[in-house]
Amino acid sequence: MINGLYSGAAAMQTLAQHQELISNNLMHVNSSGHRRVQPAVRQRFNENTPESSYDLGPQVEQVTTDFRPGRLVDTNRPLDVAISGDGFFAFQNGDQEILTRNGRLFRDANSGELVNEDGYPIIGENGAIVIDPEIPEQSIGIASDGTVSANGDEIGKIRAVSFENNESLVPLGAIAFTRGAETVESETPAKIIQNKHELSNVQPVFELIALIVNTRQHEAVQKATSSLADSLQEYIRS
């Protein structure tokens, strides 16, 4: 009975963690570049006892990221770029490289450098990419290999990178990543698409269904645990 109470408490804690992840996905459903997160749950058993069936309840072993691409939308804005398939845009924040699928770019008002919404410059193959503020935005072209040009003149080349295993990346905030210790860059070039913007890969309907199922499971476990607690209390009294 004590084991049942412990397992029930562990299950409620696991379901509460899952609900937090679902809520996080729903909160960032409109955050460009956000990747859906999900829990990897395992059932635990007491390895110190000969009874392998001694149940310690479930536990969130790790939180994994769904790296499938999000939906692409047409924007007709030349400085909006997206990646077709796998890959990430690289931005510079001081000494730190930031990787993200969010390709909404802007020209810095002072320097003309291409930056993201946070003001971090996008990394070019040969350094910063600077576009003269006097050049009309509609005259800017960005090729599939990242080459940026205006009025027929090449200005720079956006560096988009892909990796052998995206799971090795380390999440940074809601929409970005950094390289992990075991991250290996792939030789496969990333393909860039101009005038498009990638949304989050979260599917709201799926998350809402998961939220309802998770809530009902939590209620069921809570009722079962309460019944066990009442039974244990009656047993102690008797």
Side-chain angles (χ1 to χ4, degrees):
M1 192 175 293
I2 296 295
N3 183 36
L5 286 174
Y6 189 90
S7 297
M12 284 191 289
Q13 183 179 24
T14 299
L15 289 167
Q17 287 178 275
H18 190 188
Q19 184 153 330
E20 288 180 5
L21 295 177
I22 295 172
S23 300
N24 179 75
N25 288 332
L26 288 171
M27 180 174 64
H28 293 292
V29 69
N30 291 319
S31 298
S32 303
H34 174 70
R35 303 293 87 174
R36 177 176 176 267
V37 291
Q38 54 197 353
V41 180
R42 71 178 181 92
Q43 191 71 22
R44 296 176 300 158
F45 298 96
N46 193 341
E47 299 176 356
N48 297 322
T49 60
E51 298 84 11
S52 60
S53 61
Y54 190 74
D55 188 5
L56 295 178
Q59 181 186 49
V60 175
E61 189 170 28
Q62 63 177 333
V63 176
T64 62
T65 302
D66 182 355
F67 285 99
R68 286 178 294 183
R71 184 167 60 92
L72 296 181
V73 295
D74 293 315
T75 64
N76 293 319
R77 181 175 176 270
L79 292 183
D80 280 345
V81 287
I83 294 177
S84 175
D86 194 24
F88 297 85
F89 295 110
F91 293 87
Q92 195 73 44
N93 179 20
D95 295 330
Q96 185 181 40
E97 179 193 54
I98 297 176
L99 304 167
T100 180
R101 298 277 295 190
N102 185 359
R104 286 187 62 83
L105 302 177
F106 303 87
R107 278 184 286 186
D108 183 271
N110 297 319
S111 65
E113 189 173 2
L114 280 184
V115 298
N116 66 2
E117 294 166 313
D118 295 318
Y120 301 148
I122 193 166
I123 298 175
E125 293 287 353
N126 299 306
I129 301 174
V130 180
I131 303 176
D132 192 323
E134 294 184 0
I135 295 177
E137 195 167 280
Q138 295 300 323
S139 299
I140 301 172
I142 301 177
S144 61
D145 65 350
T147 300
V148 181
S149 59
N151 299 322
D153 297 324
E154 184 175 325
I155 298 173
K157 187 176 181 180
I158 293 174
R159 184 167 182 265
V161 293
S162 57
F163 304 98
E164 295 291 345
N165 180 17
N166 288 336
E167 296 293 340
S168 66
L169 299 176
V170 179
L172 180 67
I175 67 170
F177 301 88
T178 58
R179 301 185 192 222
E182 299 179 356
T183 299
V184 177
E185 192 169 323
S186 171
E187 295 182 1
T188 303
K191 181 181 178 182
I192 295 176
I193 308 175
Q194 188 181 20
N195 297 310
K196 290 199 181 275
H197 181 55
E198 182 180 353
L199 303 178
S200 166
N201 66 350
V202 174
Q203 299 182 26
V205 174
F206 179 87
E207 298 299 329
L208 287 172
I209 293 173
L211 185 63
I212 293 171
V213 172
N214 189 81
T215 301
R216 290 178 177 174
Q217 288 178 337
H218 190 280
E219 291 173 350
V221 173
Q222 188 175 35
K223 288 180 180 178
T225 305
S226 297
S227 297
L228 280 174
D230 292 340
S231 299
L232 179 60
Q233 192 173 26
E234 290 297 326
Y235 177 78
I236 294 174
R237 286 176 180 175
S238 61

